[in-house]
Structures are given as C-alpha cells and as structure tokens.
Amino acid sequence: MSKKAKTAITPTREENFPDWYQEVIKAADMAENSPVRGCMIIKPYGYALWENMQSVFDGMIKALGVQNAYFPLLIPLSFISREAEHVEGFAKECAVVTHHRLEAGKDGGLVPAAPLEEPLVIRPTSETIIGDAMSRWVQSYRDLPMKLNQWCNVMRWEMRPRMFLRTSEFLWQEGHNAFETEEGAREDTHKMLDAYADFAENYLALPVIKGEKTDDERFPGADMTLTIEAMMQDGKALQAGTSHYLGQNFSKSCGIKFQGREGGEEFAYTTSWGISTRLVGAMIMAHGDDDGMIMPPKVAPHHVVIIPILKDDQDSAAVLDYAEKLAARLKEQGIRAHLDASDERTPNKMWGAIKKGVPLRVEIGGREVEEGTLTHVRRDIGRDSKASCSVDEFVNGAQGILDQIQADMFARAQKSLESRIHDVSNVGDVESFYKDGGVGFVKGSADILSDAAFEKVAKEHSLTARCLPFEDKGNKVIIGKSY
RNA sequence: CGGAGCGUGGCGCAGUUUGGUAGCGCACCUGGUUUGGGACCAGGGGGUCGGAGGUUCGAAUCCUCUCGCUCCGACCA
C-alpha cells in the first residue's frame, strides 16, 4: 500500500475531470451506457435519486396550481413546422419515425416495410402538441390560466452524448402554461424560475445564478428565456433549468384563442419550463469528491446506511437485531435508513456507501451493542467526523445532522461559486483571464457582448454568455465555458 | 463531421514493435482462517483477443476494409 492517500475514484478530479465524472457514475452504480449510442440505462440507485427529485418538485408545482397530464411521444411532422423559429431550432435534432412494420428481409434480417403517409417526430419537446390540445381546451378567459405539466422522456439527437448531462433521450418535466395577459405570462415565467432556483438551492444544495439568456441563447420560439446557471467544480457552467416566455408565438401557430372579457377573440400568452435528469449530473459535478458521489440529504436515496460489523454467528444475530431496531426507529422519524445486511465484507460495505455518497454512515459492532451506542460518520467530511453516541441521542439528532450536511454542502458549493466569478471591465480582460488559465466565470458590463472583438475571443476559449443576472438588472453579463 | 486515444474472461489491463499452444490484478465459485477504512491461504470456473477478408505451415500480433467506445472541438438542456 502506498503512502499516498488512496482515493476510491481514479483518476482524481484534478487529474482528469471528465473521466472522474464517468467513474463516479459507475462506482455509485447510478447508470450505464445502453446498446444505442446516446441513450443510457438509469440503474435503480440513480433512478431512486431521480424519483426523489421528481417527488419534491412535483409537490412544489402542484402547490402552484399546476396539473399533471400526459401527451404522446409521437408528434405529427406538420406540428413541428408550425412555429418558424421552433422548427429551425429543433429540426436537426429530431428523430423521425417513417415506418410502422418490420418484415423479414432478403438476407434474413428484419426491414421496415410499411412507410407512413406522414412521418412522425419523436418529441424533442412538446410545445406544439400541447398547444394543439390547449387550442381545443381553451374557449373562454374563464379557462385561463391553464397550467399543465408532464413528466416524460424526450429525444434530441445529440452529436456528443455524456451521461446525464447530454443524452439523446432524457427524462424531464415540461410545464406549459397559458394566460390571458402578457403580464400574467411574464410573471409566471419568473415564478417558475424561482421554483427552480428554490429547488436547486434548497434541495439539491446547488447554488445558482438567476438571469435572462441573451438573444443567441434563447429557446427557439421564445421571446424571453430565463435560466438558472450553476458552476461545476471544474469551473464550467451548467444550465440547470429554463423558463420561457413564449408570447403569442405558439398560441398563434397552434390556435390557442379564447373569448375575452369584452367578447372579442384573443390569443393566449404561453410559457414553458423544464428541468431534466441533467440535474443529476450537476449534483455529481458540484458535490462529488475523489471518493465518489456525495448526495444532498434532501434527495438522497438513503439518508443513513447502517453497517453491521459481524464477527461470528452468535454475535451477528445480536448485532443485526440491534441494527434492525435502529433502522426501524429512524424510519419512524421519516429518515430513509438502509441496513446493509448483505454478506459483503465490512470494508467493502463501507467503501460502497462512500462511493454512493450516502450522507450518514452508522457502524455497529459488538462493542456498540454492549454499550447501547453507535458510531457515525458524515460522508461529506469523512473519517474526521467519526463520532460515537447513544442510540437515543442519534435517533433524536439524526435529522439535525442531515440538515447540517445539507446546509454545509450548499455553503461549500456557494463559496466555490462566488470565489470563481471574476470581475472584468472589457474584452481584453476576458481574454487574458482565460488565456492565463483562469477557471470559472467572468462578469462584466453587458456591452462586452457587442464589442466586435468578443466573438473571436469567445470562439478561441469556447466561451458563451451564460446569462444576464437579475441581481445586476440586466446590465451585466456572466460569461464562461459550459457543458 | 474533424483531431486524438482505445476495443483481449464480468471489470481494469499486459502481451502487438520482433507472428509460435492467451496472461495478470480485481470480481466470481469451493474449503478454511479472518473481519472497527479496501484480509489471507489453498483449490477452481470462465476469453473463437470488436467484426470481415487477406498474407502465412501458423495471426491478439502483419496488410486491407469495417463496426463500436471515450476524450477534445463544431451543435445543444
């Protein structure tokens, strides 16, 4: 064994961040690649995380009056071309279904046999098909606002897929709201962005910058796109959620019109908003360390993993019994406790829990059983946080420890974000910052974007305008490399 | 679609330059000793070396063509 601290993940973040990322996913058993390029298999542990995220956010939007529904995967080709900018933005990423039957071919393989009269597009997003439904459902101003959401998969043919961050098929929620007035819709666009920021910061421990996208970065077909931008540990930006004000673009192309208060025919103002499984990637890259994943307690599949340290059979029964009782008591408190009763060797169980990022680990052996105590360790801090206490004390205090972990994770991420936003006053500053190997974002006057020299600098260092932050009232711009 | 790298038991790799009976670590199975931050001993199972052609007495190794994966760029959530 070498003297150098052994990390559970190789390479380390510093050695090779992209490889480290992939290894964390594998080590935590969250997902794997599928036989089809660009698609991924989300394994039970990774999916459990997504389910928790869904459940939290679903509750948030229902509290805002949103109703869930489900719209079809397949969209008539003609629908996609209804909104001019929308087509242009999505056309090249669309997967198209052209046939509906397979038959035995000449060389024994199966070949598509029956061409469709009108090809179908696998939804890259559902504005058009939901717009079509809304056009039938909205008759009067009394039907507004209408707030619909669906949890589903979408497909965008990607040139360069990366697990969770950019896969051809991904899971998300897409919300589609329709309003009587422009003000109502604009206000809603902000409200949904606020929900995203709340979700990211308070549940995923992911600090974000709220702002508006620049013209080039806007959603195809939107008049305004709002975003929450997060920073990963390598200093790159990740667009973590977007909320779009669509004006009357889609209501006009989909025919969402209603009879107004004065009796006249009016077009609705619509919004759409989405977050995806990409957020899983964001959490990995924002919180993970060289030993693997670190789950934010509020969405972690397991809050506490209990590891029984078993010696001989006689002892084992007592230890297991003790551990089971502890698990039951924790569950009563609403804590997701997981007893690892597998017959893995003890160190493997421990490293397994570390790599999976379970926030709190409890170790129980013969000693603890005799004393009525247990040993616990925080994942985010590691062995330095190892402590011993009575079972009662732990059962009463566990939620507090989890809350502390959640708060500390957010504070760490926020500090990392804030310390890596650098003020610049002109394009020259931007260039020299990245040329000198600067890591993170730069922030300066929004005028930088219209400087003729910006385009070249941006291209050279793969920079994009991330957003015009609200906190600067649109006068400043955040620029950075991004995923 | 460009640039770089890689395809060898479940996973990670060596072997390829210089052709000669396919190896190592981890994992797995059996038995035993072990167990508080990655145990040990002994025995064992598992691979048509990504695929197709070719050269050769003989190909993981040489030649041609293909397919796929990863990273970096262009496009994007």
Side-chain angles (χ1 to χ4, degrees):
Chain A
M1 192 72 47
S2 69
K3 283 283 194 292
K4 184 181 148 196
K6 191 177 173 185
T7 57
I9 302 293
T10 47
T12 60
R13 288 164 293 180
E14 196 172 333
E15 286 162 354
N16 186 335
F17 198 79
D19 282 357
W20 166 85
Y21 173 74
Q22 299 221 138
E23 286 304 315
V24 172
I25 293 172
K26 205 186 291 182
D29 207 25
M30 290 198 277
E32 63 185 40
N33 276 316
S34 89
V36 176
R37 176 180 163 79
C39 296
M40 68 186 294
I41 296 166
I42 303 177
K43 300 183 76 175
Y45 189 68
Y47 199 74
L49 170 62
W50 176 240
E51 284 182 310
N52 288 339
M53 293 164 67
Q54 274 184 296
S55 140
V56 169
F57 191 68
D58 199 58
M60 289 173 67
I61 60 179
K62 280 177 179 155
L64 293 171
V66 176
Q67 291 184 291
N68 282 335
Y70 183 78
F71 295 87
L73 173 73
L74 298 174
I75 298 179
L77 186 56
S78 58
F79 276 35
I80 294 286
S81 36
R82 278 181 179 172
E83 212 288 332
E85 285 185 30
H86 193 62
V87 198
E88 204 183 320
F90 282 111
K92 49 190 181 303
E93 312 180 10
C94 284
V96 186
V97 178
T98 56
H99 290 72
H100 73 92
R101 190 193 306 148
L102 290 173
E103 281 177 358
K106 290 178 184 125
D107 50 7
L110 290 168
V111 293
L116 299 176
E117 267 180 40
E118 182 186 359
L120 299 169
V121 170
I122 299 179
R123 61 180 165 222
T125 178
S126 305
E127 272 75 5
T128 58
I129 198 158
I130 293 180
D132 178 69
M134 280 183 163
S135 74
R136 283 176 282 114
W137 298 349
V138 175
Q139 305 282 335
S140 140
Y141 71 90
R142 293 179 210 275
D143 295 324
L144 298 173
M146 181 173 284
K147 301 182 181 182
L148 300 173
N149 175 71
Q150 71 172 341
W151 291 95
C152 67
N153 58 341
V154 288
M155 176 157 268
R156 299 180 187 176
W157 214 261
E158 289 296 340
M159 303 202 233
R160 187 138 97 80
R162 297 143 176 248
M163 286 226 225
F164 288 114
L165 298 177
R166 177 166 291 108
T167 44
S168 289
E169 179 191 17
F170 59 91
L171 306 183
W172 76 343
Q173 61 68 218
E174 49 176 323
H176 299 267
N177 299 355
F179 298 85
E180 185 183 352
T181 62
E182 169 170 356
E183 304 76 68
R186 283 190 182 274
E187 190 187 316
D188 182 70
T189 309
H190 279 90
K191 198 185 284 177
M192 297 327 295
L193 192 78
D194 289 343
Y196 285 152
D198 177 16
F199 179 59
E201 300 199 326
N202 298 318
Y203 291 87
L204 312 184
L206 198 65
V208 293
I209 299 168
K210 290 196 281 186
E212 180 171 354
K213 281 290 189 189
T214 58
D215 298 1
D216 330 339
E217 303 280 324
R218 195 181 292 142
F219 176 78
D223 284 354
M224 173 179 83
T225 287
L226 306 183
T227 180
I228 50 171
E229 296 286 323
M231 190 193 283
M232 305 296 100
Q233 291 182 70
D234 62 352
K236 285 199 194 174
L238 188 105
Q239 179 174 311
T242 46
S243 179
H244 315 289
Y245 168 68
L246 306 174
Q248 292 180 313
N249 302 336
F250 283 88
S251 62
K252 284 182 174 164
S253 57
C254 297
I256 310 173
K257 53 194 175 186
F258 61 93
Q259 198 164 16
R261 292 167 196 266
E262 310 302 326
E265 187 178 78
E266 294 172 33
F267 284 103
Y269 294 83
T270 65
T271 67
S272 69
W273 34 283
I275 50 171
S276 71
T277 37
R278 175 175 239 212
L279 286 173
V280 173
M283 281 187 276
I284 296 169
M285 292 197 295
H287 301 311
D289 67 12
D290 293 335
D291 284 330
M293 183 61 181
I294 301 180
M295 294 277 182
K298 291 215 175 145
V299 289
H302 306 310
H303 285 142
V304 177
V305 60
I306 302 168
I307 297 180
I309 293 153
L310 308 172
K311 293 198 160 130
D312 51 67
D313 290 348
Q314 201 174 26
D315 198 43
S316 293
V319 171
L320 276 173
D321 183 58
Y322 185 89
E324 270 164 26
K325 285 193 174 114
L326 170 65
R329 288 186 64 188
L330 288 169
K331 282 175 187 165
E332 274 171 29
Q333 307 271 316
I335 290 172
R336 294 189 283 270
H338 171 68
L339 171 60
D340 186 350
S342 67
D343 51 11
E344 282 286 346
R345 295 175 34 74
T346 301
N348 287 337
K349 289 186 196 178
M350 295 202 183
W351 284 105
I354 290 168
K355 289 186 282 196
K356 286 182 172 234
V358 184
L360 254 183
R361 186 172 82 243
V362 166
E363 302 171 10
I364 292 173
R367 273 205 312 264
E368 280 87 352
V369 175
E370 267 178 44
E371 297 167 357
T373 63
L374 53 75
T375 300
H376 60 267
V377 191
R378 280 171 59 159
R379 170 61 181 93
D380 63 322
I381 296 179
R383 64 208 324 170
D384 291 344
S385 63
K386 193 173 255 199
S388 213
C389 68
S390 74
V391 170
D392 285 346
E393 197 181 328
F394 184 77
V395 169
N396 293 327
Q399 189 57 57
I401 300 174
L402 291 169
D403 291 344
Q404 192 58 51
I405 293 172
Q406 181 86 28
D408 289 352
M409 285 178 70
F410 179 75
R412 268 195 298 272
Q414 192 171 40
K415 196 173 156 200
S416 152
L417 169 65
E418 283 168 358
S419 68
R420 293 190 294 175
I421 300 177
H422 304 85
D423 289 322
V424 290
S425 43
N426 53 50
V427 176
D429 287 355
V430 176
E431 180 169 29
S432 53
F433 177 77
Y434 289 105
K435 193 172 254 169
D436 297 346
V439 171
F441 301 165
V442 293
K443 180 168 172 178
S445 162
D447 296 339
I448 288 176
L449 298 176
S450 43
D451 189 314
F454 178 70
E455 200 177 330
K456 183 173 163 282
V457 171
K459 187 158 186 164
E460 182 153 348
H461 297 281
S462 320
L463 303 172
T464 48
R466 303 315 308 158
C467 70
L468 306 167
F470 292 157
E471 62 178 12
D472 304 303
K473 306 196 161 42
N475 296 318
K476 292 194 173 180
V477 62
I478 295 260
I479 294 167
K481 304 185 188 205
S482 81
Y483 279 96

